Amino acid sequence: MPRYLIGYDIPNPKRLQRLHREISKFATALQYSVFLYEGSEKAWSEYLKKILRLLNLKEDDLRIYPLHHCEAPSFYGKPLYPEGIFWSIIPA
């Protein structure tokens, strides 16, 4: 199952809101403009087409980093969720 880290910087508030809303439908927000996608490659292709249509490629910055599927993420510092709350997709 592919995993991608998605981050963006959109200067136009309307496009920013639209893009955030669309990405929130299929990826999990880690921070306001940073998301984690885990799912099928076929679904990823469709989602990517949708979000690319929302961008102005001359002004907007969208970064997508593929994550190696065998490695668990590492977390340091302040926890992502309060104590006692666990997200089953990301190993503790």
Side-chain angles (χ1 to χ4, degrees):
M1 176 172 5
R3 293 180 0 182
Y4 295 96
L5 186 64
I6 307 162
Y8 56 81
D9 184 19
I10 312 295
N12 179 285
K14 213 175 229 184
R15 270 198 320 276
L16 172 67
Q17 195 172 41
R18 241 181 269 138
L19 184 68
H20 183 83
R21 202 173 317 129
E22 188 61 39
I23 293 177
S24 296
K25 292 177 185 176
F26 64 86
T28 303
L30 301 177
Q31 290 186 342
Y32 185 76
S33 61
V34 179
F35 288 80
L36 176 66
Y37 169 79
E38 289 188 294
S40 74
E41 197 65 52
K42 183 178 179 181
W44 171 248
S45 299
E46 293 302 314
Y47 296 139
L48 186 57
K49 286 178 193 174
K50 286 181 182 181
I51 59 178
L52 288 177
R53 282 187 287 220
L54 298 175
L55 296 177
N56 176 334
L57 298 178
K58 292 183 179 182
E59 295 179 14
D60 301 338
D61 183 20
L62 173 70
R63 305 286 172 108
I64 300 170
Y65 301 96
L67 302 175
H68 192 279
H69 69 281
C70 294
E71 294 178 26
S74 299
F75 300 101
Y76 304 96
K78 185 177 175 185
L80 181 62
Y81 294 104
E83 188 175 329
I85 304 295
F86 299 99
W87 186 24
S88 63
I89 296 174
I90 294 181

